[in-house]
Amino acid sequence: MSTIRLENITRTFAPTKSPLGKSEQAIEDIEITSAPPRTDGLVAALDQVSLTIPDGKTLVILGPSGCGKSTLLRVVCGLESGYSGHVYYDDRCMDDRPPKDRHIGMVFQNYALYPHFEGHGNLSFFFRVRKVADEEAEERIRITSEIMGIGFKQLLARKPGTLSGGQQQRVAIARAIVRNPDLFLFDEPLSNLDAKLRVQTRTEIKRLLRRFGITAIYVTHDQVEAMALGDLVAVMRSGQVEQLGTFQELMTEPANTFVAGFLGTPPMNLFEGASLAGDTVSLGGSSVSLSDERPNQLLSHPHLTIGARPEDAILGDSDSAHLSGLSIGGDVLVIEPDFARQNRLVYLQNGDLNFAAQVPLDIPLNIGNTIEVTFPEESLFYFDGHSGERIC
Ligand code: ADP
Ligand code: MG
């Protein structure tokens, strides 16, 4: 059992260029999530990352592709040298300790099983390398099979090539467990599985994490996994941790527009280009009268981005909805029914503004209709228009 502490971890690489040069149709508008070059011309895959994972807890690292998640795991397990900063397990500094001496169980996206061994050989390899007596190894494998549950034993006699993705990942998880690790590391373990298996395997991982209470770091780009598995979630972007908290905290108190725009299905609407005058915020032709302390809190932020969750939308303008808030009209572009939640998600466009609103299933609505929705004032989030930091 260990508390894991990362102190100011920075890892840089030379920027990688496509050998073919820049494509003529290079896409400029997609948000670049990998690290921007620094003054020294290097790219920081990790930039001064400090994190503590409490003993027995699962920390999920959540972020888009290229933000540094795998590099972080590689630093934690000792596969990455050439970083600055320090890694501690409890109070033991691990910087010079090779991976094999760190008591880690790792599970990867691509399973990384030894293809020429059967399941059993994949589990026992660790013991053979360490010259553990056969009896003890067999006993550990037997206990692990029991823990893995129904149908697992049959997998031990088969080579990875004859197993489905889900079965291979079960063997890989068992291989991590059989070592009796102090620390579990998962790098997008569900990414190659289809939707149903993803749910099954996720539930299995959750059961195992609860059962063992082992400190774990779980890397994913999928917020559903973060919500299901993380005691704590760290949202990463461009080599930095943007926010650390419970999933609930990240949803209710996002620290900035990046976190707000990354979480939620669909994520929060972010209306840029709002401005403050007195106790009124204006956005295009709409305006919001601020309540409570907000005029004071916003005083030194003349340029604002307003955040509004689709699920807080109420059909109608503020007069007809009998509430104050941000009323905004738009043309219906796309309608997605959500039968499980008895509503549908409507994507709207108003000039340059695109936004989403949740509306009841039973209201007649067609593509091309123009509707007006109101986001109640107390449900709105305000961010600084330049830095993106949350104000209130
Ligand atoms: P993630 O796992 O979040 O997708 P990675 O940790 O794999 O991200 O990579 C983070 C950044 O570091 C990316 O910009 C990637 O191109 C860069 N990077 C990672 N490993 C190397 C390497 N060995 N050489 C050069 N650049 C690398
Ligand atoms: Mg990765």
Side-chain angles (χ1 to χ4, degrees):
M1 298 271 171
S2 299
T3 297
I4 310 298
R5 191 155 53 84
L6 306 178
E7 217 175 75
N8 290 325
I9 304 289
T10 298
R11 174 62 166 121
T12 55
F13 294 106
T16 40
K17 290 201 187 86
S18 162
L20 301 174
K22 196 173 174 184
S23 150
E24 282 194 11
Q25 292 106 34
I27 299 166
E28 306 281 2
D29 264 356
I30 291 189
E31 179 158 20
I32 308 293
T33 53
S34 52
R38 316 181 323 158
T39 47
D40 55 11
L42 299 175
V43 166
L46 296 173
D47 187 2
Q48 299 275 330
V49 172
S50 295
L51 275 174
T52 299
I53 302 113
D55 183 19
K57 299 287 183 204
T58 301
L59 172 80
V60 170
I61 310 273
L62 176 65
S65 179
C67 72
K69 305 182 294 297
S70 294
T71 307
L72 187 76
L73 273 198
R74 291 168 57 80
V75 166
V76 172
C77 74
L79 285 171
E80 191 75 55
S81 54
Y83 61 88
S84 65
H86 303 289
V87 179
Y88 296 91
Y89 293 4
D90 292 330
D91 289 327
R92 292 164 290 146
C93 181
M94 289 288 142
D95 295 332
D96 298 322
R97 194 170 302 194
K100 68 177 177 53
D101 297 338
R102 294 191 185 200
H103 305 283
I104 289 171
M106 259 197 106
V107 180
F108 301 92
Q109 175 176 353
N110 58 5
Y111 323 127
L113 295 171
Y114 310 114
H116 45 287
F117 291 145
E118 279 114 24
H120 187 278
N122 269 279
L123 266 58
S124 63
F125 185 73
F126 169 80
F127 300 116
R128 262 185 281 155
V129 170
R130 271 152 214 261
K131 305 200 165 45
V132 172
D134 280 354
E135 260 169 44
E136 188 191 335
E138 287 308 316
E139 178 63 5
R140 294 261 290 269
I141 292 172
R142 189 189 64 74
I143 294 170
T144 302
S145 300
E146 245 166 49
I147 293 167
M148 292 301 294
I150 303 164
F152 183 77
K153 262 196 196 114
Q154 289 90 296
L155 307 183
L156 291 179
R158 293 167 57 184
K159 286 195 177 164
T162 71
L163 302 175
S164 71
Q167 292 169 327
Q168 289 188 56
Q169 199 54 302
R170 288 185 82 195
V171 175
I173 291 166
R175 184 179 58 177
I177 289 175
V178 84
R179 305 169 165 213
N180 199 15
D182 290 336
L183 175 63
F184 263 137
L185 301 179
F186 297 88
D187 194 351
E188 311 221 21
L190 309 182
S191 294
N192 287 348
L193 304 180
D194 64 38
K196 190 173 167 207
L197 266 177
R198 213 177 300 151
V199 176
Q200 278 174 9
T201 314
R202 189 182 78 212
T203 326
E204 177 147 45
I205 291 173
K206 173 139 184 159
R207 179 176 66 85
L208 295 168
L209 288 173
R210 287 285 166 279
R211 168 166 179 154
F212 289 101
I214 295 176
T215 313
I217 305 179
Y218 186 104
V219 159
T220 181
H221 61 269
D222 181 347
Q223 54 174 316
V224 177
E225 290 170 35
M227 183 169 60
L229 296 169
D231 296 306
L232 283 172
V233 179
V235 178
M236 272 188 76
R237 172 204 207 183
S238 303
Q240 295 183 327
V241 175
E242 294 282 315
Q243 191 172 1
L244 172 69
T246 64
F247 192 85
Q248 177 78 17
E249 283 163 359
L250 302 180
M251 288 293 283
T252 53
E253 302 290 340
N256 53 41
T257 48
F258 178 78
V259 175
F262 196 70
L263 298 183
T265 43
M268 187 184 287
N269 297 305
L270 294 169
F271 298 106
E272 293 177 1
S275 57
L276 176 73
D279 54 6
T280 303
V281 171
S282 304
L283 174 79
S286 310
S287 61
V288 191
S289 301
L290 298 169
S291 59
D292 301 332
E293 288 299 301
R294 282 181 157 171
N296 287 338
Q297 290 166 317
L298 295 177
L299 209 53
S300 56
H301 304 270
H303 303 288
L304 296 168
T305 295
I306 304 177
R309 291 211 180 277
E311 54 270 33
D312 291 328
I314 292 171
L315 217 50
D317 60 23
S318 52
D319 288 337
S320 65
H322 301 295
L323 38 82
S324 63
L326 175 67
S327 290
I328 180 160
D331 301 331
V332 175
L333 288 182
V334 173
I335 303 173
E336 282 176 2
D338 181 344
F339 296 107
R341 286 196 268 185
Q342 283 294 305
N343 61 43
R344 52 193 160 167
L345 203 57
V346 181
Y347 292 89
L348 299 146
Q349 184 173 39
N350 175 343
D352 288 345
L353 297 179
N354 283 287
F355 59 104
Q358 186 174 298
V359 303
L361 262 184
D362 53 0
I363 290 174
L365 208 56
N366 289 303
I367 292 179
N369 289 166
T370 301
I371 62 169
E372 181 131 358
V373 296
T374 299
F375 298 98
E377 205 283 329
E378 63 276 10
S379 72
L380 297 175
F381 295 76
Y382 294 93
F383 303 91
D384 184 273
H386 295 302
S387 69
E389 294 300 312
R390 167 98 181 280
I391 310 161
C392 58

